[in-house]
Amino acid sequence: MGRAEEAQDARVRLPQLRLDELLEELQARLDAARGTRDRVHSLLEAVLSVGRELDLEQALHSIVEAAAVLVDAEYAALGVIGPDGTRLSAFHTVGVTDEEIAAIGPFPEGHGILGELIRHPEPLLLAKLSQHPASYGFPAHHPPMNTFLGVPIRVREQVFGNLYLTEKRGGAQFDEEDEAVLSTLAVAAGVAIDNARLYEESRLRERWLRATAEITHNLMSGVGSGEVLGMIAERAGEITGSALAAVGLPLEGTGRLGVEVAAGLDAEAHRGLVLPMETSLMGLAFAGAAPVTTDDAAHDDRISREPRRFEGLGPAVAVPIGTGEAGPRGVLLLARECGRPVFSATETETLQAFAAQAAVAMELAERRRDAEEVAVLKDRDRIARDLHDLAIQRLFATGMTLQSAGRFIEHEEAAQRVSRAVDDLDETIKIIRSTIFGLRAREGGGTGSGLRAQAVRVAGEAGSVLGFAPGVRMEGLIDTDVPREIADHVVAVLSESLTNIARHAHARRADVSLVTDGSEVRLTVTDDGVGIPAGGRRSGLSNMAERAEQLGGSMTVDSPEGGGTTLVWRVPLGEGRGAL
């Protein structure tokens, strides 16, 4: 082939090469356009999917999953910033199994790179995590991570949390396009989170309103106060996700609170406790007429360690029930398990509103009962007046007539019958007068004269000679079910028991339990002292045992070799007990 032919062939091949290059470039641009179209389509689908969620937890999980798919990341996480704005309160992950999470340990709180995003809420793109100044490594068993992309999620101009993506699949680097896509998703996520929170708040308000209406209905329909207090505690515990709910009421004349109702974790450890105002969460809330919160009830210095009652519990709040001119009517205590979120300011305000409504309902119910009692008393006065002015006068007149007629009766047996009828009328008049007195009589008694208040007072006075305040627990309708004559014996036995502990036991702790179930009253006094020595004086114990036997009851004393003493004094109530 000559040179001319070779040149002609080269001219033919050159346009062919340029055409191939142009076609390849066109194909690349078409692929890029198709990829961009597919990515935009995926982004729109993710936005729609996230926006449909109304449950907050499910919405957060959907956001994490969508983020991982959109930027093709192996690992994704969403960290929710806590109320203090400096650490993470919740963490949602994709790409790590439950077994790996358990091996790694607790979720991060917001240090290192995660803390960097909290302090500076701007998109952060890193080719190598370990090279950033804020990075200080991973905990043991944590999967290796190098590439990183993080963007903040804002809800109404406030940073709600951050999206974290690591390890782009295929060993590639995250780029500016990934950042733009993730930032767009973060905007949609903020709207979805806000909608879910608003929906959750509306449902929560609805539950609170239903609970308030239920309590008001039961109070106004005459349900017992004990049952309603239990309902207040249970509903508040259910709505706030608390492990423990309790209600304490002031004990008149003692300056202390008695836990009337407790439900949930270790409720028995709280029910019946008598708490001081200074060293208990409930007492502080009652004395200050304002909510008191703690992040860790089991280790809070403001709360007494004895008796042990907050094991396994962490965040807690005590809210006064009513704070009007008359002061609080009681205190509502709620506590969550360790590791659960603390009670936020919004939750506390809602609880205050709920407790205030409950207090108003209790006040209205009491006013209604007072009005009913006044009506009953007025009716009793009317009945007593009618009996006195009408029935007694007619019976008296009938008796006088029979007595006068008896003088004219010559038959001895007939005269005796008339005389007995006159005596019966006289006895009937006495019975009616006694009934009138009973209808008009009003029960007296000063403030704090019930058995409950007396027992607390005796225990408090014993603290000065014991060197410590004894623990006190009371349960049941003590002031209602225990008659006054038995109550006097209970107080005497309690005083004698605590005096014996102070004189002979050398104890460091003493506990008093006073319980009634309506059929008997049981007083239990325990201490950790030296016990009762063999051959020791037992005159005081004999006196207490005689009191029990006199009332048809019994007393037992257990003093094991290892030390300590347990005294149980029990007496039946009502019918069946011995002569007084």
Side-chain angles (χ1 to χ4, degrees):
M1 181 181 294
R3 291 183 178 178
E5 293 178 353
E6 290 179 357
Q8 180 66 28
D9 188 51
R11 285 194 295 271
V12 172
R13 287 198 303 268
L14 183 60
Q16 183 67 39
L17 290 173
R18 288 178 178 174
L19 181 60
D20 290 343
E21 290 175 359
L22 289 173
L23 288 174
E24 288 177 0
E25 184 179 350
L26 179 60
Q27 183 64 43
R29 291 188 179 184
L30 287 173
D31 291 341
R34 188 179 296 110
T36 301
R37 183 201 65 185
D38 293 342
R39 198 165 197 185
V40 170
H41 184 69
S42 298
L43 178 59
L44 290 174
E45 282 187 347
V47 169
L48 292 174
S49 174
V50 167
R52 282 193 291 265
E53 294 292 346
L54 288 177
D55 180 79
L56 182 58
E57 292 299 310
Q58 187 58 45
L60 297 178
H61 191 71
S62 297
I63 292 167
V64 180
E65 288 183 331
V69 172
L70 284 173
V71 299
D72 201 20
E74 187 172 351
Y75 304 107
L78 191 156
V80 180
I81 300 176
D84 60 358
T86 62
R87 62 179 62 190
L88 300 177
S89 62
F91 207 73
H92 302 264
T93 63
V94 167
V96 185
T97 64
D98 293 339
E99 293 75 13
E100 290 174 321
I101 292 173
I104 295 170
F107 282 120
E109 294 184 356
H111 305 294
I113 296 295
L114 305 190
E116 183 72 15
L117 266 172
I118 294 174
R119 293 185 295 272
H120 304 98
E122 299 292 338
L124 181 61
L125 183 62
L126 300 175
K128 190 75 171 177
L129 265 170
S130 58
Q131 293 178 354
H132 193 279
S135 176
Y136 62 80
F138 295 104
H141 307 292
H142 196 286
M145 295 180 180
N146 293 298
T147 56
F148 176 87
L149 175 58
V151 296
I153 297 176
R154 287 182 169 85
V155 176
R156 297 192 180 190
E157 303 305 320
Q158 288 187 341
V159 179
F160 173 84
N162 296 299
L163 270 174
Y164 313 109
L165 285 300
T166 62
E167 293 302 288
K168 190 174 179 70
R169 296 182 187 276
Q173 296 286 332
F174 293 112
D175 54 25
E176 292 181 356
E177 186 178 340
D178 292 327
E179 181 183 317
V181 168
L182 199 60
S183 297
T184 303
L185 178 64
V187 173
V191 176
I193 290 169
D194 194 29
N195 289 339
R197 288 168 67 178
L198 290 173
Y199 178 70
E200 192 174 80
E201 288 173 5
S202 67
R203 291 183 62 190
L204 198 59
R205 280 195 296 270
E206 183 182 350
R207 293 183 68 187
W208 282 118
L209 288 172
R210 282 203 304 266
T212 301
E214 182 183 9
I215 289 166
T216 303
H217 172 75
N218 281 277
L219 278 169
M220 300 307 290
S221 61
V223 175
S225 59
E227 185 176 343
V228 173
L229 289 176
M231 189 181 302
I232 291 173
E234 288 176 6
R235 296 296 178 272
E238 290 170 1
I239 295 174
T240 59
S242 299
L244 171 72
V247 175
L249 300 179
L251 301 175
E252 293 185 1
T254 67
R256 295 190 176 192
L257 288 175
V259 181
E260 294 291 324
V261 172
L265 185 65
D266 287 338
E268 290 297 329
H270 293 260
R271 193 178 298 121
L273 278 179
V274 177
L275 302 172
M277 296 292 182
E278 303 82 10
T279 57
S280 66
L281 210 62
M282 280 183 154
L284 292 170
F286 186 87
V292 178
T293 60
T294 178
D295 294 347
D296 188 357
H299 301 93
D300 196 307
D301 294 335
R302 298 170 297 173
I303 305 173
S304 61
R305 295 288 175 269
E306 299 295 339
R308 298 169 69 89
R309 58 193 186 278
F310 286 110
E311 293 297 320
L313 296 174
V317 60
V319 179
I321 300 176
T323 55
E325 295 181 0
R329 305 175 64 86
V331 178
L332 171 63
L333 170 72
L334 298 173
R336 290 171 174 156
E337 293 179 337
C338 291
R340 293 292 309 283
V342 298
F343 287 89
S344 64
T346 302
E347 285 182 303
T348 304
E349 290 175 4
T350 305
L351 277 171
Q352 278 186 279
F354 172 72
Q357 290 295 326
V360 170
M362 293 167 70
E363 181 76 18
L364 289 174
E366 285 186 6
R367 293 290 177 266
R368 180 176 178 178
R369 284 194 294 270
D370 289 344
E372 291 174 350
E373 185 176 349
V374 169
V376 170
L377 292 175
K378 287 182 177 179
D379 201 37
R380 287 181 176 180
D381 287 341
R382 180 188 59 77
I383 294 171
R385 186 170 56 252
D386 290 346
L387 286 173
H388 182 273
D389 296 343
L390 301 175
I392 287 183
Q393 299 303 325
R394 299 194 67 169
L395 288 173
F396 186 76
T398 303
M400 292 291 291
T401 301
L402 288 175
Q403 196 171 24
S404 300
R407 292 196 295 266
F408 301 101
I409 299 175
E410 296 181 355
H411 194 282
E412 183 176 356
E413 185 176 351
Q416 290 177 352
R417 289 187 177 184
V418 170
S419 179
R420 284 198 299 271
V422 171
D423 292 340
D424 288 342
L425 285 173
D426 187 49
E427 188 64 28
T428 302
I429 291 172
K430 290 179 181 179
I431 292 172
I432 294 176
R433 281 178 172 165
S434 176
T435 302
I436 292 172
F437 177 79
L439 287 171
R440 288 180 170 172
R442 308 288 175 87
E443 290 188 2
T447 299
S449 61
L451 174 56
R452 185 184 293 266
Q454 292 184 68
V456 173
R457 191 177 300 115
V458 168
E461 292 171 352
S464 59
V465 292
L466 286 168
F468 56 85
V472 181
R473 182 189 304 277
M474 288 184 275
E475 190 172 341
L477 301 176
I478 294 172
D479 289 336
T480 303
D481 289 345
V482 183
R484 180 175 295 277
E485 61 270 18
I486 295 181
D488 292 340
H489 286 280
V490 172
V491 172
V493 171
L494 174 58
S495 178
E496 179 71 18
S497 300
L498 294 175
T499 301
N500 288 343
I501 293 173
R503 288 178 179 174
H504 311 295
H506 304 291
R508 291 176 298 177
R509 178 176 175 178
D511 292 290
V512 176
S513 172
L514 183 58
V515 179
T516 180
D517 58 1
S519 61
E520 73 166 11
V521 60
R522 183 174 70 256
L523 172 66
T524 305
V525 182
T526 61
D527 67 77
D528 61 354
V530 298
I532 302 176
R537 293 183 58 187
R538 296 176 178 261
S539 57
L541 295 176
S542 298
N543 292 337
M544 289 186 280
E546 288 177 4
R547 287 179 182 273
E549 292 170 0
Q550 181 184 1
L551 297 169
S554 63
M555 187 188 82
T556 59
V557 179
D558 182 26
S559 184
E561 293 182 1
T565 303
T566 299
L567 180 147
V568 180
W569 190 91
R570 59 205 313 158
V571 167
L573 303 175
E575 296 180 0
R577 57 187 173 88
L580 301 179

